[in-house]
Amino acid sequence: MLDYVVRNACLHGETGLLDIVIKDGIIAGIAASIASEAPSFDAGGNLLTGGFVESHLHLDKACILDRAKNESGTLQGAISAVAKAKSGFTEDDVYARGAKVIEKAVTQGTNAIRTHVEIDPGIGLAGFRAIKRLKHDYAWAMDVEICVFPQEGLLNYPGTEELLREALDNGADLLGGCPYMDSDPVGQIKRLFEMARDYDVDLDFHLDFDLDPTWRHLDEVARQTIAFGWQGRVMIGHVTKLSVLPKDQLANTTALMRQAGIGLTVLPSTDLFLTGRNCEHSVPRGVAPAHSLVRAGVCCTIATNNVLNPFTPFGDCSLSRMANLYANVSQLSTTEELEMCFAMVADSPAKLLGRPTEIMIGGAATFIALPAQSRAQVVSEISRPVWGMKDGRVTFEHPAPRLLHP
């Protein structure tokens, strides 16, 4: 691999522009004006960061609007539409649609993904096998972590547990859950913890996806997390119930999550699209207040969830756009708040997936160049990266637009 120097880079927390020496895909030096005869690559004063990390994405059911319509616009409508369409999924079909999304994500500066893959007797392991192929084929640009889960229930769907175990035996990285779709939600939660213990894997639940604060499954997940000693190894996604809790109840819930070491992933686009469909006015946002939990020490991330399907009929895989959407919904605008939003699509999910969060000597030369001088600016302006590299190899380019003056 050709050694070279990236010159004139802006790094978070540093003053002045710096040069970065890259040798065999590793950062060998960082300093101002490094003397070297190696080929150089000019960063042009752009902000270099480790790249965005997608902590919750569904590659297997992306890009299916042509075959699955959500007539009601509700969560149940989306689940039903996908369940019907899923019967026609093939391994090659899932692969082709997943590849399209991965390529979009790469050009938007994402270089790591945790993808949730549905497993049940209806689809079998076709989706899982397709995602495994994608993980291998796109390793040059994207690290993919596979979370297998029972979207349509576990205890109520005989044969699902055996398939989940087969997937875990064959390379799945972690286990997910969807208790609200099971005939025995509490039973599903306990069974998934038992399986996670058997395989020594983390857990990531779709949880409490409605606006009724009178009941929730979060308490059972917290109880089992502590009982199984799984603190720091459990994430919960959506949890739109948190958006309607009074301040004192939210504080109590935050304390419970801290005690259990449970993290939260917010999916702004999906949660906004599906929530409050029964309201004719004063429609609730339904987006959990992750920024409040972050301030209390809870690990929180912002993610895309779905792209162009009945759950979310939108999406360009831009995590800077998703961070901006969250900031708008949550009415955040200070530099500190916008940097927090950036961290929730970069630093926090990187830690979640066990990746380094800093550009440092000895680390992999994996980063993106953003046309900004600060992380807050990236969120406020929805900055799109102009290029990126993984392990010292440039993986995409997206040159800045050029005005043609008269």
Side-chain angles (χ1 to χ4, degrees), residues 54 57 100-110 269 304 306-308 312-322 382 384:
E54 184 68 75
L57 187 65
K100 186 184 301 184
V101 174
I102 286 179
E103 290 178 5
K104 277 187 178 183
V106 170
T107 63
Q108 295 286 9
T110 296
S269 186
T304 297
N306 283 290
V307 177
L308 303 175
T312 320
F314 318 109
D316 61 358
C317 300
S318 168
L319 282 173
S320 60
R321 187 187 307 281
M322 203 59 64
I382 315 180
R384 177 169 182 167

Side-chain angles (χ1 to χ4, degrees), residues 5-11 16-21 31-34 40-48 369-370 372-373 387:
V5 182
V6 176
R7 297 196 179 278
N8 304 312
C10 174
L11 299 184
L17 300 182
L18 299 172
D19 295 345
I20 302 174
V21 178
S33 303
I34 294 176
S40 63
F41 192 85
D42 191 359
N46 287 315
L47 175 68
L48 261 61
L370 292 152
Q373 276 65 60
W387 57 265

Side-chain angles (χ1 to χ4, degrees), residues 139-197:
W140 56 272
M142 184 77 71
D143 292 332
V144 177
E145 188 177 85
I146 302 175
C147 176
V148 291
F149 83 111
Q151 171 70 75
E152 298 180 38
L154 175 61
L155 302 182
N156 59 300
Y157 205 162
T160 299
E161 179 175 338
E162 290 76 9
L163 288 168
L164 287 169
R165 288 182 176 275
E166 186 175 349
L168 289 165
D169 285 332
N170 286 277
D173 299 292
L174 70 156
L175 188 60
C178 198
Y180 58 80
M181 289 299 296
D182 207 297
S183 57
D184 182 2
V186 172
Q188 182 188 120
I189 292 168
K190 183 178 180 181
R191 192 75 194 104
L192 289 171
F193 270 96
E194 291 170 346
M195 292 173 64
R197 179 185 59 193

Side-chain angles (χ1 to χ4, degrees), residues 17 57 106-107 184 209 287 298 321 325 330 336 345 350 354 366 369 392-393 399:
L17 300 182
L57 187 65
V106 170
T107 63
D184 182 2
F209 199 176
V287 176
V298 175
R321 187 187 307 281
L325 176 60
S330 303
E336 177 189 4
V345 294
T366 298
R393 178 186 181 278

Side-chain angles (χ1 to χ4, degrees), residues 53 86 146 152 173 179 202 229 250 265 277 323 345 356 361 366 389:
V53 177
K86 194 166 61 175
I146 302 175
E152 298 180 38
D173 299 292
D202 293 353
L250 180 62
T265 297
R277 287 284 178 165
V345 294
I361 295 174
T366 298
M389 63 173 60

